[in-house]
Each structure stands twice: as C-alpha cells, then as structure tokens.
C-alpha cells in the first residue's frame, strides 16, 4: 500500500473507502470538488479548506498532524483533476 509511506492510517483509509460507497456521500463529495483546478490543488490554504470540508462531510476526525499530511500529500502529487492519467495514478494508489 503506497499510501502508508505518506503517513496515512490504513484503517482510516478503509473507513473512508467504505463511506464513499454510499451514493449520497459520493455525490456530496463530488459537489464539493466540482470545478477544482490543478491550481486550486497547489494552494495550501484551499487544500486545507477542502480537507476540512471533506472530513466533515465524511464524519472523520483528523488531527492537525493528519491534516498536514493530507495537505502535503495533495501538493506533492501535483494532481491535475482534468488529467485522466493523474486520476488513474491516485486510484491505483488507494485501491
């Protein structure tokens, strides 16, 4: 599991994956991330805000350190949501 080397808790990842199988939750997450660009995902303040919104939507409690790990992960991956290759790479990392 390549996400563990980025400081993610495997149990938490599994909980989130399970919650994302719920169609209502999935739609709420899509609505939050609708229109997000690669520039938004390189802005630390915006990524921190997205992390806060998404964890609240999913009902997950994250510590300040976990939030920092998530923000650093997103920024370091240089994700482009309109690039299918980037999305496949992320999908394979968390599958």
């Amino acid at each position: 599991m390549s996400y563990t080397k980025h400081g993610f808790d495997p149990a938490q990842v599994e909980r989130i994956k399970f919650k994302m199988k719920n169609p209502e939750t999935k739609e709420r997450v899509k609505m939050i991330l609708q229109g997000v660009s690669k520039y938004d995902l390189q802005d630390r303040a915006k990524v921190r805000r997205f992390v806060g919104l998404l964890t609240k939507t999913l009902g997950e409690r994250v510590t300040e350190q976990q939030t920092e790990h998530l923000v650093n992960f997103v920024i370091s991956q240089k994700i482009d949501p309109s690039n299918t290759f980037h999305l496949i790479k992320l999908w394979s990392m968390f599958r």
Side-chain angles (χ1 to χ4, degrees):
M1 292 182 248
S2 58
Y3 58 81
T4 56
K5 66 182 174 186
H6 292 283
F8 295 115
D9 176 28
Q12 187 176 31
V13 170
E14 291 303 317
R15 275 196 318 270
I16 291 171
K17 285 168 54 174
F18 179 75
K19 289 177 182 182
M20 287 297 293
K21 290 180 182 179
N22 181 342
E24 292 175 10
T25 304
K26 192 175 196 174
E27 283 305 312
R28 278 189 252 145
V29 169
K30 282 183 182 180
M31 294 284 283
I32 291 170
L33 296 175
Q34 186 175 15
V36 172
S37 70
K38 68 180 179 179
Y39 303 107
D40 293 334
L41 296 178
Q42 289 299 300
D43 182 350
R44 186 169 289 280
K46 286 183 182 180
V47 173
R48 184 176 275 286
R49 188 172 61 86
F50 288 137
V51 168
L53 288 170
L54 293 171
T55 54
K56 185 181 274 187
T57 299
L58 293 169
E60 286 291 320
R61 293 182 183 201
V62 291
T63 64
E64 190 62 34
Q65 183 180 18
Q66 288 173 320
T67 301
E68 249 341 278
H69 281 201
L70 286 165
V71 170
N72 290 334
F73 171 77
V74 170
I75 291 174
S76 71
Q77 294 299 308
K78 297 184 183 344
I79 301 165
D80 181 2
S82 61
N83 185 329
T84 306
F85 177 71
H86 287 208
L87 300 177
I88 290 171
K89 180 178 145 188
L90 283 172
W91 175 79
S92 66
M93 186 180 292
F94 287 96
R95 57 181 272 233

